[in-house]
Amino acid sequence: MAGSWTPDLKRWGKPHYLAIAEALADDIRNGRLTPGTRLPTQRALAEALDLNFTTVSRGYVEAHKRGLIEGRVGQGTFVVDPTRTAHSGSAAQRVGPVDFTMNLPPEPDAPALQARMQASFSELSGDLANLLRYQGFGGTDADKEAALRWLKGRGVDTNRERLLICPGAHSALFSVLGQVARPGDTICAERITYPGIRALAAHLGLRLVDLPMDRHGVDPDAFAAACTKVAPKAIYLNPLLQNPTTATLSRTRREAIIAVARRYAVSIIEDDAYARICPAPPPSFAELAPEITYYVAGVAKCLGAGLRLAFLVTPSARSALPVAGALRAATVMASPISTALATRWIMDGTAEAIVQFVREESAARQRIVASLLPAETYTADPHGFHVWITLPDGWTRSAFASQGRSAGLGVVGSDPFCVAGTPPEAVRLCLGGPSTRQQITHGLEVLAHALEGSPALASTYI
């Protein structure tokens, strides 16, 4: 029966995807399918049963959830040994749906690295009483020394007077925006940009003006035109592995933007979230134009989203004072536990080991993307862990997201990223977090099949 299983779905009187899972359970229970049996590919089963590919995919997802089957990268889908399943956790924990929505770095799964990370965390308990007390604002001398080492690894060479340790990039951006602009003032940003800056600008009553982009990022000429027309106080940029488009500004493009910013006395807010992921990135704005750049380097995208910590470098020691006041008023201090853990990881080399894992795992996942998605449909960076898909004619972002949800896959349409105008028919896929390569492969196979066909074939309405 290996690879040729063709169940009779009519007898179950249920939607086809549920009938597939029921038929699998029944055949396993009655010995018609034995542990280790290789099942047909989803495409082959869809053809054999004259069903939509997505329906079969949903059936396999449901069977995964019930612990009936498992996928093996490069091999196929197999019937699970129920005795092994009983001792290895629930099926939902092992497989589960694939969430492409949250932009998290891949989570380290190498036992040695996991043990190293856990040991560092456990060692903090020796100073737990102190870590549960209020700390001086801005971090201890040891914390700042670690932060300076981390920044120097990106090429940002600064001093302690310009450095602030913040409880995450959002708090840093919030405080900087509140100091460089007042309600009603204008801030420029990429037309397609990180949604967080939209929320922060709205909360502060700032006008966000969009700048057109090409595949290299923001157009410097358009920035110059905006400066003469709306006199912005600052320009916000996510210039490295931009979220969501994956674009990276070249050094030439950065220098052109700096020239405009200097000419019109506009501050640059550089959100360098992926600073340590690229092994050889272009120089940062903070390196090229330190006197006008507020540089924010969060560690969430490099070490883990739950480590809410960011290093903020201001243009001068004087400009650090009002930003520090705003941070202190809004946040009191960065979490001593998070700060101490990051400091330990940076100083003992664990942080660099995590970064190296994220680089290598992201590259492996990007190779999976390249093997499954048509090259003309997406943009990506070999070192990044998200992908920007431009949908083929006929697809809308809402229809594609709905199609993904029906197969247990989450994707994000372009709407939250668009500063102005009509959002493009595009979606962002994130390849990190707890998802395994096996799950990534399965989810991309489903989406690749959808991209190959007509949206009409994916309709689930009756």
Side-chain angles (χ1 to χ4, degrees):
M1 184 177 284
S4 60
W5 180 69
T6 51
D8 178 11
L9 303 184
K10 295 179 181 178
R11 59 183 290 234
W12 299 101
K14 294 183 176 182
H16 288 149
Y17 80 96
L18 290 176
I20 289 171
E22 295 289 354
L24 276 166
D26 186 64
D27 284 349
I28 293 170
R29 187 167 49 248
N30 290 296
R32 291 187 288 272
L33 286 174
T34 57
T37 298
R38 181 177 179 177
L39 294 172
T41 66
Q42 296 171 45
R43 190 181 301 272
L45 186 59
E47 292 175 355
L49 299 177
D50 194 25
L51 292 177
N52 183 297
F53 177 88
T54 303
T55 299
V56 173
S57 177
R58 291 182 69 188
Y60 273 32
V61 168
E62 180 64 26
H64 273 300
K65 290 179 182 178
R66 299 185 188 186
L68 303 174
I69 61 176
E70 64 180 0
R72 302 175 191 168
V73 176
Q75 299 180 51
T77 303
F78 298 82
V79 174
V80 168
D81 181 348
T83 60
R84 179 167 63 84
T85 304
H87 298 288
S88 60
S90 70
Q93 289 175 322
R94 291 184 296 104
V95 183
V98 184
D99 184 6
F100 287 127
T101 63
M102 297 302 293
N103 206 23
L104 312 173
E107 296 181 359
D109 58 2
L113 181 54
Q114 288 181 328
R116 183 175 178 177
M117 295 166 66
Q118 183 62 51
S120 295
F121 194 81
S122 298
E123 288 167 5
L124 294 180
S125 63
D127 194 30
L128 188 59
N130 184 52
L131 294 177
L132 293 177
R133 299 176 185 141
Y134 286 111
Q135 306 287 323
F137 180 80
T140 65
D141 287 344
D143 297 330
K144 288 203 169 186
E145 185 62 32
L148 291 171
R149 176 181 292 192
W150 179 261
L151 294 170
K152 197 167 185 177
R154 171 64 175 99
V156 178
D157 197 358
T158 187
N159 55 51
R160 298 186 184 199
E161 289 71 29
R162 295 170 55 208
L163 171 66
L164 297 169
I165 296 179
C166 314
H170 267 237
S171 65
L173 293 171
F174 179 81
S175 299
V176 169
L177 286 170
Q179 295 308 306
V180 301
R182 294 291 179 265
D185 284 344
T186 296
I187 303 292
C188 288
E190 304 111 328
R191 178 162 293 168
I192 304 295
T193 193
Y194 171 54
I197 201 68
R198 295 182 59 198
L200 291 173
H203 183 77
L204 291 168
L206 305 178
R207 179 189 176 202
L208 208 58
V209 170
D210 64 305
L211 299 177
M213 307 165 62
D214 57 24
R215 63 190 182 90
H216 301 294
V218 164
D219 179 353
D221 292 334
F223 176 36
C227 288
T228 61
K229 185 177 181 180
V230 298
K233 298 295 184 180
I235 178 172
Y236 166 84
L237 295 168
N238 177 204
L240 184 67
L241 303 182
Q242 197 243 15
N243 181 9
T245 68
T246 79
T248 289
L249 289 173
S250 66
R251 177 173 185 144
T252 300
R253 184 68 64 95
R254 292 169 191 242
E255 290 173 342
I257 290 171
I258 289 169
V260 174
R262 284 174 171 156
R263 188 188 319 152
Y264 293 98
V266 177
S267 296
I268 296 172
I269 303 173
E270 181 177 14
D271 186 356
D272 211 14
Y274 307 92
R276 300 300 296 274
I277 300 303
C278 288
S284 67
F285 283 93
E287 185 178 355
L288 297 172
E291 80 285 359
I292 58 171
T293 300
Y294 289 86
Y295 177 82
V296 180
V299 303
K301 304 302 189 201
C302 301
L303 302 180
L307 198 60
R308 306 306 302 163
L309 199 70
F311 306 133
L312 168 61
V313 179
T314 61
S316 65
R318 181 177 180 179
S319 60
L321 295 176
V323 176
L327 273 167
R328 187 182 292 109
T331 67
V332 180
M333 63 181 180
S335 164
I337 295 176
S338 292
T339 306
L341 182 60
T343 294
R344 183 177 293 267
W345 279 357
I346 292 169
M347 300 305 285
D348 70 10
T350 302
E352 193 58 42
I354 297 171
V355 167
Q356 187 60 33
F357 168 84
V358 172
R359 286 176 182 166
E360 293 174 359
E361 184 61 23
S362 297
R365 296 180 183 208
Q366 289 290 356
R367 289 193 292 271
I368 296 173
V369 172
S371 72
L372 294 173
L373 295 185
E376 68 276 7
T377 63
Y378 73 95
T379 57
D381 186 283
H383 305 291
F385 43 82
H386 64 281
V387 175
W388 184 244
I389 295 180
T390 302
L391 298 173
D393 290 343
W395 278 105
T396 65
R397 56 199 184 277
S398 59
F400 193 77
S402 176
Q403 173 74 353
R405 284 193 300 272
S406 71
L409 310 173
V411 302
V412 181
S414 60
D415 300 76
F417 306 102
C418 191
V419 172
T422 302
E425 300 301 349
V427 298
R428 187 193 68 182
L429 265 63
C430 301
L431 309 174
S435 297
T436 63
R437 291 188 198 179
Q438 170 189 316
Q439 291 172 304
I440 295 291
T441 301
H442 165 72
L444 289 172
E445 286 174 342
V446 174
L447 296 181
H449 183 82
L451 289 170
E452 291 173 2
S454 165
L457 297 176
S459 175
T460 56
Y461 295 99
I462 57 175

